[in-house]
Amino acid sequence: MGIITTSFSFMLGAACGIYVAQNYNVPNINNLYKTGLVMAKSYEENYRKPKTSRDGEDGDRNGK
């Protein structure tokens, strides 16, 4: 009995998802993700603390 209930729920969800995708303007999640990533990178680059270099050091702690 459990497999029938699970299958029915899955089929109903799939049918509703197909209906919504065909009849409404659903945003593309991949493009939304990429846009957010670009915005986050630009925000980080703009507000990052500037690196301070001391005399004789290039920021490498191991001395390589």
Side-chain angles (χ1 to χ4, degrees):
M1 186 73 179
I3 195 165
I4 295 172
T5 306
T6 304
S7 297
F8 178 74
S9 297
F10 177 75
M11 294 298 285
L12 184 64
C16 289
I18 291 169
Y19 175 79
V20 167
Q22 289 179 351
N23 294 317
Y24 295 100
N25 187 12
V26 180
N28 188 349
I29 300 299
N30 194 22
N31 289 342
L32 190 63
Y33 168 75
K34 287 180 181 178
T35 302
L37 191 61
V38 168
M39 289 174 57
K41 283 183 180 180
S42 68
Y43 182 81
E44 178 191 4
E45 289 172 359
N46 289 334
Y47 294 103
R48 182 183 300 165
K49 286 184 178 179
K51 291 184 178 180
T52 58
S53 68
R54 298 178 191 154
D55 295 334
E57 293 183 4
D58 58 353
D60 193 5
R61 293 182 183 203
N62 295 332
K64 293 182 181 176

